[in-house]
C-alpha cells in the first residue's frame, strides 16, 4: 500500500475502526485483522484506482459493516448516536430511492415466485410448472439493472432494510449463547453445496420423467455453479445476494414440493391387509387404484348373460359393498390424446382407439403427424359362453324302459313315512 496517499481499504477500515471505538483496542485489532485480507483482495480486484465509494457499493457503509461485525462476533451494539456521528453518506434522492426499492422488492418478489414455481414442479414432477419463471425474468433483469446502476449501498440504506437488519442484530445478540443457533450458523458454508446438489438432482429427476426437461438441465447446472461461487462471498459483496437468495428460495420451495410428492406417493401405495385380489398397491397418474388380473392392469370389464348377450351399465362392487372405482378416460379431440373425464365403477366403457393422421385425414399412414382419438362402443370380441353340464340327479328326457312288469315287494313291514313339509 502507498504511504503517500491512503488507499480505499485504509480509508474504509479507518471508518470501521471509528465505528468500533467503544470496544477494547485488542478486540478491535482482532476484528480488523479478520476482515483486512478480504478487503485487500477486493481492492486488488477493483484495481489500483479503487475508490471508497466502490467498496461502499459492495459492502454498504463502514458503519453498517461495523454493526454486522459486532453482531457476528457477539459484541454489544454501538452506543446511541455513535453510528450517526461517523456516517458521512448523503441522503438518497427520490430517483435513487425508487431504483433501490425496485431492486430490493424485485429480489423479494422473484425469490417468492421461484419458491412457488419450484414447489409446483416438484410436487407434480412436471417441468411445465417452471414455465412461470418466464414471468419473473423481466422483473429480475430490471432489478439487477437498478442494482448495478445505483449500487447496493442505496438498498442497504432503505428504511425497511435498516429496520430489518437491526431486528436481525437484536435477535442474534439475544441468542448468542444458543447452541442450536451456533450450530446452524456453522453449517452455512455447507448450505451452498446442498443447493448445488439439489439443483442438479432436481434437473436429472425431471429429465428421467420427461425427456424434454433436458433443455432445463444446463440452466440448473449454471445456477448450481453460480451459487457455489457466490454463496461464500455474500458477506463481502452484498450484490451477490441477488444470486444467493433466489437460488436458496428455489431449493427450499422444491424441497417442500418433493416432500409433498413423497407423502402423496406413500399414501397411495400403502398396502392394506383387507385389500382384495382385484386391487394393487400401484395407482394411475390420478392416484386411483387399478383393477388387476394377475400382474396386468385391467382397463375395461365386459359382462354377458347366460345366452351370450352383452350387458350394459354394469356396476361392480366388492364383497363388502365398496364400489370398484377407477379412472374413466375419454378422447381429447383437440390434441388426439386421452384425458380423465371422471371416476366411477360403471362398465363396460367405450374403447379408445388412438393413432396418427396426416393433413388430409388419412389415418395411420407413414406420413402421419397429427394425433387422433375416437371412442368405439360395443364389444370388440365374440364371447363363447360355456353351457352348464347336466346334473347327474336331473331326470332324463327319454322315458326309461321298465325292467319288470311285476310290482316290487316291500322289504320292511314299517308304515310309509309321512310326507315332508
Amino acid at each position: 500500500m502507498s504511504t503517500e496517499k491512503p488507499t480505499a481499504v485504509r480509508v474504509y477500515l479507518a471508518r470501521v475502526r471509528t465505528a468500533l471505538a467503544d470496544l477494547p483496542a485488542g478486540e478491535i485489532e482482532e476484528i480488523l485483522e479478520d476482515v483486512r485480507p478480504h478487503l485487500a483482495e477486493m481492492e486488488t480486484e477493483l484495481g489500483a484506482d479503487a475508490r471508497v465509494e466502490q467498496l461502499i457499493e459492495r459492502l454498504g457503509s463502514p458503519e453498517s459493516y461495523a454493526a454486522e461485525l459486532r453482531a457476528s462476533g457477539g459484541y454489544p451494539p454501538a452506543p446511541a448516536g455513535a453510528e450517526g456521528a461517523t456516517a458521512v453518506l448523503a441522503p438518497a434522492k427520490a430517483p435513487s430511492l425508487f431504483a433501490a426499492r425496485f431492486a430490493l422488492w424485485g429480489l423479494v418478489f422473484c425469490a417468492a415466485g421461484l419458491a412457488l414455481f419450484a414447489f409446483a414442479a416438484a410436487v407434480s414432477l412436471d417441468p411445465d410448472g417452471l414455465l412461470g419463471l418466464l414471468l419473473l425474468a423481466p422483473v429480475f433483469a430490471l432489478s439487477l439493472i437498478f442494482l448495478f446502476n445505483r449500487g447496493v449501498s442505496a438498498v442497504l440504506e432503505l428504511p425497511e432494510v435498516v429496520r430489518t437488519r437491526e431486528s436481525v442484530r437484536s435477535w442474534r445478540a439475544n441468542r448468542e449463547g444458543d447452541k442450536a443457533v451456533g450450530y446452524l450458523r456453522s453449517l452455512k458454508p455447507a448450505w451452498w453445496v446442498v443447493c448445488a446438489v439439489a439443483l442438479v438432482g432436481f434437473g436429472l429427476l425431471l429429465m428421467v420423467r420427461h425427456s424434454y426437461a433436458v433443455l432445463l438441465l444446463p440452466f440448473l447446472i449454471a445456477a448450481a455453479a453460480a451459487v457455489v461461487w457466490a454463496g461464500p462471498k455474500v458477506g463481502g459483496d452484498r450484490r451477490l445476494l441477488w444470486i444467493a437468495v433466489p437460488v436458496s428460495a428455489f431449493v427450499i420451495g422444491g424441497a417442500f414440493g418433493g416432500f409433498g410428492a413423497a407423502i402423496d406417493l406413500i399414501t397411495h401405495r400403502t398396502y392394506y391387509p383387507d385389500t382384495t385380489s382385484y386391487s394393487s398397491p400401484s395407482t394411475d397418474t390420478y392416484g386411483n387404484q387399478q383393477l388387476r388380473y394377475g400382474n396386468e392392469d385391467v382397463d375395461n370389464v365386459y359382462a354377458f348373460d347366460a345366452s351370450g348377450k352383452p350387458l350394459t351399465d354394469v356396476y361392480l362392487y366388492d364383497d363388502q359393498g365398496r364400489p370398484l372405482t377407477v379412472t374413466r378416460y375419454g378422447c381429447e379431440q383437440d390434441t388426439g390424446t386421452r384425458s380423465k373425464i371422471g371416476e366411477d365403477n360403471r362398465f363396460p366403457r367405450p374403447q379408445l382407439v388412438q393413432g396418427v393422421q396426416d393433413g388430409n385425414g388419412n389415418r395411420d399412414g407413414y406420413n402421419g403427424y397429427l394425433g387422433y382419438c375416437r371412442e368405439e362402443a360395443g364389444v370388440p370380441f365374440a364371447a363363447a359362453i360355456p353351457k352348464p353340464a347336466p346334473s347327474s340327479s336331473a331326470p332324463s328326457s327319454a322315458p326309461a324302459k321298465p325292467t319288470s312288469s311285476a310290482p316290487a315287494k316291500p322289504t320292511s313291514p314299517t308304515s310309509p313315512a309321512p310326507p315332508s313339509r
Side-chain angles (χ1 to χ4, degrees), residues 104 106-115 140 191-192 195 226-227 230-231 234 238-253:
L104 171 65
L107 171 65
V108 174
F109 174 77
C110 291
L114 282 168
F140 188 68
W191 168 249
W192 312 117
C195 288
V227 77
V234 168
R238 297 302 185 186
R239 295 178 299 178
L240 298 180
L241 286 171
W242 272 252
I243 295 177
V245 171
V247 172
S248 297
F250 185 91
V251 171
I252 293 173

Side-chain angles (χ1 to χ4, degrees), residues 177-397:
D178 194 331
K179 294 183 179 180
V181 174
Y183 177 72
L184 292 177
R185 289 174 60 186
S186 68
L187 296 178
K188 186 186 297 184
W191 168 249
W192 312 117
V193 178
V194 171
C195 288
V197 173
L199 288 171
V200 176
F202 185 47
L204 294 175
L205 180 60
L206 291 179
M207 189 177 66
V208 170
R209 298 274 301 198
H210 304 274
S211 58
Y212 63 89
V214 67
L215 301 175
L216 182 66
L217 188 59
F219 295 97
L220 294 177
I221 294 177
V227 77
V228 170
W229 169 77
K233 299 182 179 181
V234 168
D237 190 346
R238 297 302 185 186
R239 295 178 299 178
L240 298 180
L241 286 171
W242 272 252
I243 295 177
V245 171
V247 172
S248 297
F250 185 91
V251 171
I252 293 173
F256 277 105
F259 184 68
I263 292 179
D264 182 72
L265 183 63
I266 293 173
T267 301
H268 287 96
R269 288 182 177 269
T270 301
Y271 175 77
Y272 297 95
D274 61 344
T275 302
T276 53
S277 60
Y278 61 79
S279 181
S280 166
S282 64
T283 59
D284 60 14
T285 56
Y286 297 98
N288 296 320
Q289 290 186 346
Q290 296 280 78
L291 296 181
R292 305 203 76 186
Y293 183 76
N295 294 325
E296 297 182 357
D297 293 337
V298 177
D299 295 327
N300 212 342
V301 176
Y302 298 92
F304 299 82
D305 63 12
S307 63
K309 179 182 178 181
L311 303 178
T312 59
D313 294 333
V314 175
Y315 293 83
L316 301 185
Y317 294 83
D318 67 2
D319 56 352
Q320 300 183 30
R322 296 175 298 186
L324 309 188
T325 301
V326 295
T327 302
R328 176 180 289 269
Y329 294 94
C331 285
E332 183 72 32
Q333 298 301 331
D334 294 336
T335 60
T337 59
R338 74 171 190 170
S339 61
K340 177 183 177 181
I341 60 175
E343 304 169 359
D344 56 49
N345 64 328
R346 180 167 57 91
F347 298 91
R349 299 171 173 187
Q351 184 183 14
L352 303 185
V353 180
Q354 295 179 262
V356 294
Q357 60 184 353
D358 58 20
N360 297 323
N362 300 317
R363 297 180 176 177
D364 301 328
Y366 68 92
N367 58 345
Y369 62 94
L370 298 173
Y372 76 86
C373 178
R374 69 175 185 270
E375 300 180 5
E376 295 184 354
V379 182
F381 58 87
I385 306 300
K387 299 296 182 181
S391 175
S392 59
S393 60
S396 175
S397 59

